[in-house]
Amino acid sequence: MTNSSFLNALELAHENAWFKSSYSGDNTGAGCVSIAVLADRIGIRDSKQSNGPAFTVPTTAWASFIREIQTDQHRPA
């Protein structure tokens, strides 16, 4: 993916559309992402850069990612 594939987060979705997981904890510098649910895509950005770059993935890809995380399929054996 090239830099031209990224959009400014606020061009992608209004600030109120972005949220992060309650598992993210406080903002002490931990690596967190925020997401925005769009019509048929999910916007993803760095939580610490609310007006920084963002990108989108299809909702089906996001759903697969979440299922994999929830079932621990992402961890090596």
Side-chain angles (χ1 to χ4, degrees):
M1 182 176 288
T2 65
N3 286 341
S4 61
S5 299
F6 289 94
L7 300 170
N8 175 283
L10 295 182
E11 293 172 339
L12 188 62
H14 187 274
E15 181 60 31
N16 293 338
W18 296 95
F19 65 95
K20 66 180 184 174
S21 169
S22 60
Y23 290 101
S24 296
D26 59 16
N27 287 325
T28 59
C32 300
V33 297
S34 295
I35 67 162
V37 178
L38 309 170
D40 63 342
R41 304 187 71 69
I42 300 295
I44 303 169
R45 72 175 186 185
D46 183 338
S47 294
K48 295 177 295 307
Q49 294 185 327
S50 62
N51 197 24
F55 63 97
T56 64
V57 295
T59 54
T60 54
W62 184 255
S64 293
F65 170 73
I66 296 300
R67 264 193 314 277
E68 189 168 318
I69 295 299
Q70 290 174 335
T71 60
D72 275 348
Q73 294 176 13
H74 67 289
R75 296 182 186 206

